[in-house]
Amino acid sequence: MGLTVAEAFILLSFCLLLLFAWWQIETERKSLIVADEIGKLDDQQKAAIVAGLSDGTFEAALVLRTAGVDLTDTKSLEDAAQYSRFMRDEDFQRLMKGVVKLSPETRLSLADAVAVTDEVALRAKLATVETDDSTVEHIAGRLQSAARQQGALVTLLDDRLGAVIREAGGSIDAKGTITLPQAILFDSNNDKIKDPAFLRRLCVPWLETLRQSGMNISDLKIEGHASSEWAVDATKEQAYLNNLDLSQRRARNALTLCLSDIKDPDALAWVRQHLAAVGYSSARLIYGPDGTEDHDASRRVMFSVGLSQEGLIDDIRRDVTSTDVLMNATGPARVIDGDTVEVTETSFRLSGIDAPEMGQLCRNKAGISFDCGEVARRGLEQVIAGQPIECHATELDIYKRPIATCTVGGQNLAEIMIVKGYAVAFSRYSQTYVARAEAAQQANVGIWKTDFQMPWEYRKEN
């Protein structure tokens, strides 16, 4: 079972703490010897010390010494530079200073742990993150990309709906969730929408913006929220259940009104696949600074959206748990997208082809946009049809995925995807399917029937 992302970072930080504690213990042992040598300095050496105090030399040395680096040992200085290369300077300094502030008992515990830790194994583990293509950098890059996508979605919503929402006393948070006070849509203890025109001005553009964004949306909800209050003589259990019923009816009525104003059949089908109505009763109360319930703020209607994180989590899990890359594998496959499969927990990129990305939009002849990345993914699933596949790789891509030729029942998966028009030729890794792709284009098969952007161009822009 692989480590979680949090566990991996904790393990890495702990290894670094062990190493820095080791340096500090060695420094303390040698400091007594150094003190005896100070009295033996000549005038020229003393002058050098004075110069060092004014030019910053001693300040730099003090930071390193405080962190536990043995300044008399050039090897330890090289190690410090080596193991800090993958971290930001401020994080590295903060970690070193944190070791210095540890209690004596904790330092002794670390020292004991170091004493029983294989130095070669420890250094080998740390060395896995020192390269420019390190696991940490991969994870950071993936998280930054996900954050940028989330930010782009919030910007879209704010540009389209921000003014209307704020004018009504609502807000849009950093995740793209729209929050409206209950009084905008409902009277107290009532589930009838009091201002249908306002909800239509909000709901239809909200759904259109999300559908046309091209992003892989996994969670779309209209939420009803209530305070913990009900009738004076109601018990807590009765108040919760009554508010649950009311919040569910409100959310459902809001969803029904939203659906009634959508006339385009494709848009309506998309909404039905994504949108749900949920009543939370008083399960998610809002509290004031003093920790007491803010009853008015707790009574609210929220329009929430979530982007699919399944691919991101899978990618990070592979980054964290991967050690030696498996170049050949046979067995059941999980289709990640139109050109990537996972076999025996190793992700293989099909050599020579490039399929549309998940969430990438293509436009058919009728002018309707659809997620052609999802179409390609389903297409590859249909080709494999639950059968075991064989993958043989010869090189790795920039994400450390093996670039492989994979077959099912003796048939080449990449070639089938090209012939059926689910993917285009990707000559960066192979020229094998260029002719086949040209034939599919001339035959106007699959993706070639649509208006689409080449996947590598889409990735550059997104």
Side-chain angles (χ1 to χ4, degrees):
M1 186 174 181
L3 295 174
T4 66
V5 177
E7 289 169 343
F9 277 114
I10 290 171
L11 174 61
L12 180 59
S13 298
F14 180 67
C15 289
L16 287 168
L17 285 171
L18 292 180
L19 185 58
F20 294 142
W22 179 21
W23 281 333
Q24 187 175 13
I25 292 168
E26 286 296 301
T27 299
E28 291 173 353
R29 182 181 65 81
K30 294 180 180 180
S31 62
L32 296 175
I33 300 174
V34 174
D36 291 337
E37 297 296 324
I38 292 178
K40 302 177 183 180
L41 297 176
D42 57 28
D43 291 341
Q44 183 176 1
Q45 290 170 325
K46 291 177 181 179
I49 291 175
V50 173
L53 290 172
S54 61
D55 66 10
T57 301
F58 274 31
E59 291 182 10
L62 180 61
V63 172
L64 291 174
R65 187 189 71 77
T66 303
V69 179
D70 185 354
L71 300 178
T72 65
D73 182 0
T74 56
K75 181 63 168 62
S76 69
L77 295 175
E78 292 172 359
D79 287 343
Q82 180 182 15
Y83 295 125
S84 66
R85 189 181 308 140
F86 77 99
M87 300 181 73
R88 296 183 306 168
D89 290 342
E90 55 266 34
D91 292 336
F92 182 62
Q93 294 294 337
R94 184 163 55 249
L95 186 56
M96 291 194 295
K97 291 176 182 178
V99 176
V100 176
K101 295 178 181 178
L102 292 175
S103 67
E105 293 79 10
T106 303
R107 293 185 194 179
L108 288 175
S109 298
L110 288 173
D112 291 339
V114 170
V116 298
T117 301
D118 179 13
E119 176 187 349
V120 175
L122 176 60
R123 290 181 181 276
K125 193 67 178 178
L126 292 173
T128 63
V129 298
E130 72 175 11
T131 63
D132 292 336
D133 194 27
S134 70
T135 298
V136 174
E137 289 175 340
H138 273 304
I139 293 173
R142 295 189 193 282
L143 293 175
Q144 289 170 3
S145 177
R148 284 195 297 270
Q149 188 177 40
Q150 185 85 47
L153 180 60
V154 174
T155 299
L156 281 174
L157 291 172
D158 192 72
D159 289 345
R160 185 82 182 268
L161 298 166
V164 174
I165 293 168
R166 284 186 283 274
E167 184 179 349
S171 63
I172 302 178
D173 68 15
K175 294 182 179 180
T177 298
I178 299 169
T179 300
L180 295 175
Q182 169 192 290
I184 298 298
L185 296 178
F186 301 101
D187 288 325
S188 180
N189 295 325
N190 198 312
D191 64 3
K192 183 179 180 180
I193 297 170
K194 60 190 293 186
D195 190 351
F198 171 81
L199 184 57
R200 289 189 176 97
R201 290 201 308 274
L202 170 69
C203 197
V204 174
W206 176 60
L207 293 170
E208 286 179 352
T209 300
L210 295 175
R211 187 174 75 91
Q212 295 169 3
S213 69
M215 298 180 186
N216 190 10
I217 293 170
S218 64
D219 194 19
L220 196 59
K221 292 182 292 187
I222 298 178
E223 306 173 6
H225 296 267
S227 71
S228 62
E229 294 180 316
W230 196 254
V232 176
D233 58 346
T235 65
K236 291 183 178 179
E237 290 75 13
Q238 290 172 335
Y240 174 80
L241 292 174
N242 289 337
N243 277 316
L244 179 62
D245 177 62
L246 178 61
S247 62
Q248 288 177 332
R249 284 187 279 115
R250 285 175 169 176
R252 179 177 178 177
N253 289 346
L255 182 147
T256 301
L257 182 62
C258 289
L259 290 179
S260 68
D261 253 26
I262 301 175
K263 307 304 180 185
D264 178 44
D266 292 320
L268 190 59
W270 183 90
V271 171
R272 286 172 175 164
Q273 289 174 357
H274 292 83
L275 184 61
V278 182
Y280 283 100
S281 184
S282 55
R284 299 184 179 182
L285 296 174
I286 303 296
Y287 295 93
D290 60 353
T292 58
E293 177 185 345
D294 187 331
H295 297 288
D296 289 335
S298 295
R299 302 183 187 105
R300 64 202 189 276
V301 180
M302 303 178 72
F303 299 76
S304 65
V305 56
L307 300 180
S308 175
Q309 302 298 326
E310 182 179 352
L312 173 65
I313 293 171
D314 286 343
D315 287 339
I316 291 178
R317 177 180 59 80
R318 284 188 290 271
D319 288 341
V320 170
T321 60
S322 63
T323 51
D324 296 329
V325 176
L326 186 65
M327 299 298 284
N328 300 294
T330 301
R334 185 173 72 89
V335 177
I336 297 174
D337 56 34
D339 52 35
T340 310
V341 294
E342 185 180 273
V343 185
T344 61
E345 297 188 355
T346 297
S347 178
F348 291 90
R349 176 80 151 73
L350 299 183
S351 177
I353 70 170
D354 201 359
E357 296 294 316
M358 299 296 292
Q360 180 176 343
L361 296 183
C362 298
R363 187 179 297 275
N364 64 20
K365 289 183 178 180
I368 299 173
S369 296
F370 64 99
D371 186 343
C372 46
E374 173 61 19
V375 170
R377 188 194 66 79
R378 290 200 306 267
L380 184 53
E381 279 187 340
Q382 292 168 0
V383 170
I384 295 174
Q387 304 174 73
I389 70 172
E390 294 184 13
C391 292
H392 301 281
T394 57
E395 59 183 317
L396 304 178
D397 67 7
I398 60 174
Y399 301 110
K400 294 184 178 179
R401 291 177 302 186
I403 305 299
T405 297
C406 299
T407 59
V408 57
Q411 293 185 301
N412 187 309
L413 289 178
E415 184 175 0
I416 296 174
M417 293 294 285
I418 288 288
V419 171
K420 289 180 174 290
Y422 286 121
V424 299
F426 194 27
S427 57
R428 175 176 178 178
Y429 293 107
S430 173
Q431 297 286 330
T432 304
Y433 309 111
V434 172
R436 290 278 188 162
E438 291 175 349
Q441 182 178 7
Q442 292 175 0
N444 204 31
V445 175
I447 195 173
W448 299 108
K449 291 181 179 180
T450 73
D451 180 14
F452 72 98
Q453 188 177 26
M454 287 298 179
W456 53 85
E457 295 175 355
Y458 176 82
R459 287 193 293 272
K460 286 181 180 179
E461 296 180 5
N462 297 274

